[in-house]
Amino acid sequence: MPIELSYLSASVALLFIMLGAEAVTGNLQYNTKDLLGARDEMAAPNAMVGRCKRATQNMLESLAMFAPLVLIAVLAERTNSLTALGSAIFFWSRVAYAPTYWFGIPVIRTLVWFGGIAGIVLVFLQVLPFSGAA
């Protein structure tokens, strides 16, 4: 299996962890009755729940770009050292991003977010029709 697919699988596993963190923090703030109901009249999320939700949403948005690019690279047989590097940068940046967002560490969070985008761009540049990769 290409390393890019391993990083894609690991990124999906990371999404599950992030969803778990969101669920745990939500369970700490809200009571079971609130969580089992329609959730129409719940109190606003506290800071930690809100950060977990936003981090998860950001991961979903990032995966929406990363996953198709990795799949295109693999299916088009355009994987190379740069797609592997981009996939690694994306994954490890996202690993760092989650706790920096959860715990409200602003500058580092932004830097690792840019790292994730750089990883996506590296893969993207290899699948462009005129990139010369292959």
Side-chain angles (χ1 to χ4, degrees):
M1 173 165 60
I3 191 72
E4 294 85 354
L5 290 179
S6 296
Y7 280 118
L8 179 55
S9 297
S11 296
V12 172
L14 178 60
L15 175 61
F16 278 113
I17 291 167
M18 294 173 77
L19 286 167
E22 187 177 329
V24 167
T25 59
N27 282 320
L28 292 173
Q29 177 179 353
Y30 301 108
N31 64 44
T32 304
K33 181 180 168 231
D34 289 335
L35 294 172
L36 292 175
R39 301 182 183 194
D40 292 332
E41 298 180 21
M42 290 176 63
N46 64 32
M48 186 65 164
V49 173
R51 287 193 301 264
C52 286
K53 285 181 172 295
R54 291 189 301 276
T56 301
Q57 181 61 40
N58 188 274
M59 181 62 165
L60 287 167
E61 293 165 2
S62 295
L63 274 174
M65 293 182 285
F66 178 68
L69 290 172
V70 166
L71 295 174
I72 290 167
V74 170
L75 291 173
E77 297 179 352
R78 296 185 77 132
T79 57
N80 56 38
S81 60
L82 290 176
T83 57
L85 178 62
S87 297
I89 290 171
F90 174 81
F91 173 72
W92 291 110
S93 293
R94 299 311 298 188
V95 166
Y97 180 81
T100 58
Y101 205 128
W102 294 337
F103 298 110
I105 305 169
V107 175
I108 295 171
R109 183 195 82 212
T110 301
L111 292 174
V112 295
W113 180 86
F114 275 115
I117 294 300
I120 291 170
V121 168
L122 273 176
V123 177
F124 179 62
L125 292 175
Q126 300 309 299
V127 299
L128 289 173
F130 55 84
S131 71

